[in-house]
Amino acid sequence: MVTTIPQSPNTPIQSVLIVGNYCHDVLLQGGAVVAETLGGAASFISNVLTGLSVSFHLTSKVGVDFKYPVNHDPIVIPTSKTTVFHAYFDQGYSENAHQDRVLKRVEVCDPINPSDLPDRKFDFGMAVGVGGEILPETLERMVEICDAVFVDIQALIRAFDENGTVKLVRLKESGFYHLLPRLKFLKASSDEALFMEVEEVRLWCCVVVTHGKDGCEVYWKDGEMKIAPFGANQIDPTGAGDSFLGGFVGGLVHGLVVPDAALVGNFFGSLTVAHIGLPKFDLRLLQRIKEEVQTRKVQGTCWLERRDDEVSFSKPAGHDEFHASLSSSKLVSAECRRDLSRSPGSVEQVNRPQYKGQQKFLLNSVYDKSN
């Protein structure tokens, strides 16, 4: 049984295990490289959890060529290279003004084995591989050491042909299907959800399907609900789904019920698309969000302690007001940034990517289908 201890908004909470490799991402258009950046879902999720003052253990593998400074050191494999993805974007647009892409894995680091995981217990585990690094036996070990395991479906259904091109396989054919009854949440984009039978999977674990600008839907055994989105000035959608998952789990860690935590997920997804690359969140905004979450928290109880689906999943009183409060915080932060940009001699820049040396350029509002 998890005991909830009252926390101040800035007190780190050590309760989360993130499992997934860092990557090098290379974006190409018209045969030319237009961006190189730190990749991997783990980078976006850790960024959000840090912003929410949730401390965590991250298990990630890279090669000796890994070139980005990070706050949580990965396991360096001397005989391997860091996983590298090339994303090829064509010049055509879909009816939604989003570009299509072909994603290729051109280098692959070692998989994460059960023995690589820490020998301790966690409240929450997050399996967020992007390059096939999560093995069935590793996920099984996560289930053993974590009270609640959250999985991004891309960690389970991505496959790679002889050229490294990313393909998706049906969840039943992934080798992970037998573990579904032992998971708590499975997150998928609307595109990825086509590769599973939601009506069947929801009988085993909760399913969260993200719909970009339209928010998300939560499915569980006895019901479903839509969670409202937040407006965003979309610049680069890369990592929005990862940031959603980080915000969702961060909300649950702080004691929110599922619908309110999903709002926090939608909120961080909307923040991410307004940045180029890995976002550096405005510190004043983060402080306001943590205060809103702390105020909203159901005092004296924790999501992990609840056993009644109706208590955990039903929208509580004040849910819409919580959405309005988060939206208001976002608007106030935007106004502050505009005022700051007008101030003579101002040197603070709040939208610059977090990692020094990282370059990421606007690519005509590229749509990341993995999120």
Side-chain angles (χ1 to χ4, degrees):
M1 179 69 69
V2 177
T3 301
T4 300
I5 301 174
Q7 302 281 344
S8 74
N10 295 315
T11 301
I13 303 171
Q14 178 70 60
S15 56
V16 180
L17 170 65
I18 303 173
V19 181
N21 286 348
Y22 288 128
C23 305
H24 293 163
D25 284 353
V26 181
L27 281 64
L28 303 99
Q29 188 174 47
V33 174
V34 296
E36 296 186 28
T37 180
L38 173 68
S43 62
F44 285 90
I45 290 171
S46 60
N47 191 37
V48 171
L49 292 184
T50 297
L52 288 172
S53 297
V54 176
S55 64
F56 53 88
H57 180 97
L58 190 149
T59 299
S60 178
K61 287 185 176 180
V62 299
V64 293
D65 59 338
F66 185 62
K67 58 185 179 182
Y68 296 107
V70 291
N71 293 328
H72 291 77
D73 293 335
I75 301 169
V76 179
I77 307 301
T79 57
S80 179
K81 291 185 176 181
T82 301
T83 298
V84 177
F85 281 98
H86 285 185
Y88 298 85
F89 296 89
D90 61 28
Q91 302 299 317
Y93 291 86
S94 71
E95 61 182 7
N96 294 319
H98 292 140
Q99 286 186 308
D100 294 327
R101 72 173 183 174
V102 174
L103 188 63
K104 293 186 177 182
R105 186 187 66 180
V106 298
E107 297 286 353
V108 57
C109 195
D110 289 4
I112 298 173
N113 299 303
S115 59
D116 297 317
L117 303 181
D119 187 20
R120 51 160 293 192
K121 287 284 189 177
F122 294 87
D123 292 338
F124 299 85
M126 305 179 70
V128 292
V130 294
E133 66 267 30
I134 304 292
L135 305 174
E137 54 266 35
T138 303
L139 183 56
E140 187 165 10
R141 178 58 181 162
M142 290 184 66
V143 169
E144 293 172 354
I145 64 175
C146 302
D147 289 340
V149 175
F150 297 67
V151 179
D152 192 321
I153 197 173
Q154 67 181 353
L156 312 183
I157 66 172
R158 277 190 175 183
F160 308 89
D161 67 15
E162 64 276 7
N163 297 316
T165 302
V166 175
K167 307 291 184 182
L168 299 181
V169 301
R170 298 204 65 80
L171 183 57
K172 283 187 175 180
E173 303 166 359
S174 66
F176 293 90
Y177 198 79
H178 66 287
L179 292 172
L180 291 183
R182 303 175 67 185
L183 306 181
K184 292 297 184 184
F185 286 85
L186 182 66
K187 173 260 175 189
S189 69
S190 54
D191 289 338
E192 293 165 339
L194 299 175
F195 289 82
M196 66 173 165
E197 291 72 31
V198 173
E199 292 302 314
E200 182 176 330
V201 175
R202 68 193 288 181
L203 300 177
W204 300 112
C205 64
C206 179
V207 177
V208 181
V209 179
T210 56
H211 296 283
K213 64 182 180 61
D214 296 319
C216 69
E217 289 183 273
V218 181
Y219 301 85
W220 67 100
K221 182 176 61 175
D222 300 317
E224 61 192 66
M225 72 177 69
K226 293 183 178 181
I227 305 297
F230 293 86
N233 178 24
Q234 180 169 297
I235 297 175
D236 179 4
T238 302
D242 304 322
S243 293
F244 165 86
L245 191 56
F248 180 54
V249 172
L252 293 175
V253 169
H254 278 289
L256 298 182
V257 293
V258 170
D260 287 351
L263 273 182
V264 178
N266 283 348
F267 182 83
F268 276 97
S270 74
L271 291 182
T272 298
V273 302
H275 293 73
I276 300 174
L278 190 71
K280 182 177 181 180
F281 302 120
D282 177 44
L283 295 180
R284 293 162 297 184
L285 173 61
L286 290 176
Q287 182 62 32
R288 281 192 290 270
I289 296 308
K290 287 184 286 187
E291 291 171 354
E292 291 288 349
V293 168
Q294 193 69 16
T295 300
R296 182 64 179 159
K297 175 181 174 181
V298 180
Q299 295 296 327
T301 185
C302 171
W303 174 79
L304 283 174
E305 293 178 333
R306 303 185 181 109
R307 294 294 180 264
D308 184 348
D309 281 348
E310 292 303 317
V311 173
S312 295
F313 289 95
S314 296
K315 286 184 181 179
H319 177 82
D320 292 339
E321 288 77 10
F322 183 47
H323 181 279
S325 295
L326 294 176
S327 296
S328 177
S329 296
K330 190 176 180 181
L331 290 174
V332 170
S333 177
E335 288 293 336
C336 289
R337 289 199 301 272
R338 281 194 289 270
D339 291 343
L340 182 63
S341 67
R342 298 188 193 107
S343 301
S346 174
V347 296
E348 182 180 359
Q349 299 182 25
V350 298
N351 290 329
R352 185 159 292 181
Q354 182 177 10
Y355 297 108
K356 296 180 180 179
Q358 176 180 344
Q359 287 188 310
K360 182 80 177 286
F361 302 97
L362 180 63
L363 190 63
N364 298 329
S365 190
V366 170
Y367 176 57
D368 184 352
K369 289 189 174 182
S370 69
N371 294 327

